[in-house]
Amino acid sequence: MMPPEQTTDVLIIGAGPAGTCAALRLLALGHKVALAESEPFPRPQIGESLSPGIRNIFDYLDATDLLTNRNYLHQLNAQVVWETTTPQTVSAAQRGPGVMVDRGQFDKDLLDLAVQRGLQLYQPARFESCKQVDGRWQSQLRQYTQLITVESKFILDARGRRGNNMQDRVLTAPPTIAIWGHLPADVMPADTLVEATEKGWIWGSPTPTRQFRVITFTDPRELKGNTVPGVFHHLLSGTRFFHKAADSWKINDLQTCTVFTYAHTFPWQDNYLRLGEAAFSLDPLSSTGVEKAMRFSLQAAIAVNTILKTGHKDMAQTFYEDRMIESICSHTHWTSAYYAQAWPGQQRAFWKERSVPFIDQTPAPTAFYERLSHKFTAPKEKGPERRINVQQELQRLWHEQIHLSSALIFKETPCVIDDVLQLRTAIQHPNLEREMAYLETVEISPLLSVANKEATFGAIVQEWSKVLPFEQAVRIAFFLWDKDILCTTA
């Protein structure tokens, strides 16, 4: 190993997917990056099921080969019991191109790639402490008997759940107990299995190590007065997919943990950022934990890059925190809606508690917590999709006078331009899920300046056609009309 660098732009703590993804992106942006990992690799790790969106991230990192050069499982079909007790088959084509990996090997391959691209790695090395001196972080790492001081502008904490304390978390779902074990792969189907039961839900899948993993998720109160094997067996008994596992004595080495779904209440402080599960964790229902952690790391890398290149700290922190809030809230609303669809229904405590968005109170609310809590209000019900016959409507609307909605607000918002954040004018409107600066890669506010004047729908389209293809101008105009942002004048 090369002699350790004492000074770097960014020190990352933890070499899981979140930390290594941030390292790869920051290295690509030209920064010096060091990483400290306390364990030797490969090391055992659950969370092998990667959702389809992971492939776009690996393409972006120029790391696609890592998903294909191992004996990972691709194109798994799924069998699901959820909305009814009748099993449904979801083909691999319907599910999207997910992949089942060996997480120990997957994490090692990702880290090795970062080292090849210039990462300064300290492994195994324990992060012991840090302090700020003259606006820079000085961190103490212990590697074997050696104490190393690393100076950096930023610290990115990607130590997972170890990267925060319970008092700094706010729960965003009721706690769940996970119990898991393995069977030989030939005992179970070669598909991913998901099944809702009265007291929880069960996930199972073949793994690249020729085993079949079974994980049950239930309320922690189920363990009161019961043994872990007893609860596990009871949850599997009588199921459509897992009764063989319940009746088999081959289930071995049962493990259990409490699954907390949470957000850190102070994820950015003095250029100390938290990534992955050090920042927030998601309900395991969607199997998107790794994807969301890596995607959020890419957003954090943009924020760090902005400060290192432009010094615009406030804008970068706002962007980072907004993206984190957006990820937590969108996932929470999705999971609560999905829990609400399960066949056991609202009369079962497990399902009732999880079928509405949940955020706990914190004894010491922070500004970040207040913003997060405000976003936990249920999203507005979407109305039925309007079917628009563009040709007919275009003829009808062409000579109609158009004005901008009185509910429309223009707001300066950070946007990613060439890997740094720059302020652009965005629009806010009750019919938009979030503020929007671009539509089809076209900046919206300059287009709307035309509609701010006395104009017909056709005149607006013609004016936009001077800088856009006519068909695109029509599409954008109809989108804004459909959202009642462009309104016809009575």
Side-chain angles (χ1 to χ4, degrees):
M1 180 181 293
M2 295 288 292
E5 293 284 345
Q6 301 297 315
T7 303
T8 189
D9 295 321
V10 181
L11 173 65
I12 299 174
I13 316 167
T20 312
C21 178
L24 283 165
R25 188 65 196 131
L26 288 166
L27 288 166
L29 291 168
H31 303 297
K32 291 176 64 177
V33 184
L35 188 149
E37 168 55 50
S38 61
E39 297 183 32
F41 277 15
R43 47 87 167 94
Q45 184 77 355
I46 61 172
E48 306 97 328
S49 179
L50 306 185
S51 47
I54 202 76
R55 293 184 183 273
N56 291 336
I57 297 173
F58 274 75
D59 290 344
Y60 184 67
L61 295 173
D62 192 20
T64 309
D65 288 350
L66 298 189
L67 296 178
T68 57
N69 64 3
R70 297 287 179 182
N71 189 31
Y72 297 153
L73 304 180
H74 301 263
Q75 304 299 320
L76 291 176
N77 296 323
Q79 297 184 50
V80 180
V81 168
W82 198 264
E83 294 185 30
T84 71
T85 55
T86 303
Q88 305 291 321
T89 298
V90 182
S91 70
Q94 292 172 298
R95 293 183 70 197
V99 56
M100 185 70 62
V101 302
D102 176 339
R103 270 294 303 280
Q105 189 61 56
F106 172 84
D107 290 1
K108 182 179 186 302
D109 288 346
L110 200 58
L111 181 60
D112 288 346
L113 179 63
V115 172
Q116 292 171 22
R117 294 183 180 176
L119 175 69
Q120 174 62 55
L121 177 64
Y122 302 95
Q123 184 186 37
R126 188 173 70 249
F127 175 80
E128 292 201 338
S129 64
C130 63
K131 63 180 179 180
Q132 273 199 313
V133 179
D134 297 329
R136 294 180 66 86
W137 286 103
Q138 288 187 356
S139 301
Q140 300 293 314
L141 309 179
R142 184 166 297 279
Q143 190 168 36
Y144 304 112
T145 59
Q146 184 182 17
L147 192 63
I148 303 167
T149 300
V150 177
E151 184 180 289
S152 63
K153 180 73 179 291
F154 285 88
I155 295 177
L156 305 188
D157 191 337
R159 288 178 290 175
R161 295 165 195 268
R162 292 175 298 169
N164 52 48
N165 299 314
M166 287 296 291
Q167 63 265 28
D168 296 323
R169 301 176 183 176
V170 56
L171 295 182
T172 54
T176 301
I177 285 288
I179 308 171
W180 68 93
H182 297 91
L183 291 165
D186 57 7
V187 175
M188 298 293 286
D191 296 332
T192 296
L193 308 177
V194 181
E195 182 164 356
T197 73
E198 291 185 355
K199 293 189 175 182
W201 62 281
I202 309 167
W203 175 91
S205 180
T207 71
T209 55
R210 298 182 181 178
Q211 294 179 307
F212 192 95
R213 172 166 288 168
V214 179
I215 309 180
T216 62
F217 298 91
T218 190
D219 193 285
R221 289 169 289 197
E222 294 296 324
L223 284 178
K224 189 174 182 179
N226 297 307
T227 65
V228 168
V231 171
F232 189 74
H233 184 276
H234 179 70
L235 288 167
L236 300 185
S237 297
T239 60
R240 291 272 188 166
F241 298 146
F242 298 98
H243 59 275
K244 288 183 180 179
D247 297 336
S248 174
W249 292 103
K250 296 178 183 178
I251 287 279
N252 53 47
D253 298 327
L254 284 181
Q255 298 181 64
T256 184
C257 70
T258 304
V259 179
F260 292 107
T261 304
Y262 58 83
H264 197 284
T265 57
F266 221 143
W268 178 311
Q269 187 174 17
D270 297 328
N271 288 352
Y272 188 115
L273 287 68
R274 290 173 171 83
L275 305 181
E277 289 195 336
F280 63 96
S281 72
L282 302 177
D283 191 294
L285 184 63
S286 67
S287 295
T288 60
V290 172
E291 178 193 339
K292 292 286 187 182
M294 294 183 72
R295 202 170 292 282
F296 181 61
S297 287
L298 295 176
Q299 308 285 1
I302 290 293
V304 170
N305 184 55
T306 297
I307 296 176
L308 290 173
K309 290 187 174 176
T310 71
H312 293 157
K313 180 179 177 180
D314 290 345
M315 178 168 58
Q317 182 170 348
T318 297
F319 171 82
Y320 161 92
E321 292 181 346
D322 282 350
R323 297 293 82 76
M324 180 171 160
I325 289 170
E326 183 181 297
S327 291
I328 295 168
C329 292
S330 63
H331 190 271
T332 300
H333 286 116
W334 181 88
T335 50
S336 61
Y338 201 73
Y339 275 120
Q341 295 170 8
W343 69 264
Q346 301 299 297
Q347 66 272 26
R348 306 289 179 182
F350 177 89
W351 300 98
K352 182 178 180 180
E353 291 174 357
R354 289 161 177 80
S355 62
V356 293
F358 170 98
I359 185 167
D360 207 356
Q361 299 296 313
T362 177
T366 64
F368 177 81
Y369 167 81
E370 297 292 352
R371 289 168 59 204
L372 175 66
S373 179
H374 177 72
K375 288 287 187 179
F376 259 71
T377 54
K380 189 176 72 172
E381 287 289 329
K382 292 183 179 180
E385 291 290 331
R386 286 200 279 189
R387 295 185 179 275
I388 301 173
N389 184 314
V390 173
Q391 286 301 114
Q392 287 182 5
E393 291 292 347
L394 190 58
Q395 290 181 5
R396 183 180 70 82
L397 289 172
W398 191 260
H399 298 292
E400 292 278 350
Q401 289 290 127
I402 295 295
H403 68 272
L404 295 183
S405 167
S406 60
L408 184 65
I409 297 173
F410 292 89
K411 176 186 176 184
E412 293 293 291
T413 192
C415 295
V416 181
I417 311 292
D418 296 329
D419 296 314
V420 297
L421 296 167
Q422 298 180 27
L423 288 178
R424 291 290 186 270
T425 302
I427 59 172
Q428 287 183 326
H429 190 274
N431 292 339
L432 296 176
E433 293 183 7
R434 56 174 294 185
E435 60 195 33
M436 180 181 292
Y438 289 85
L439 184 59
E440 294 190 18
T441 71
V442 177
E443 198 169 358
I444 300 173
S445 62
L447 299 182
L448 291 180
S449 65
V450 175
N452 225 351
K453 306 165 187 174
E454 288 290 327
T456 63
F457 192 91
I460 290 171
V461 170
Q462 286 181 323
E463 187 66 25
W464 291 357
S465 297
K466 294 177 181 178
V467 292
L468 302 175
F470 178 81
E471 293 80 6
Q472 186 179 30
V474 169
R475 287 197 306 272
I476 292 175
F478 268 105
F479 173 86
L480 296 170
W481 172 76
D482 187 48
K483 296 295 183 183
D484 294 325
I485 294 168
L486 291 181
C487 307
T488 53
T489 302

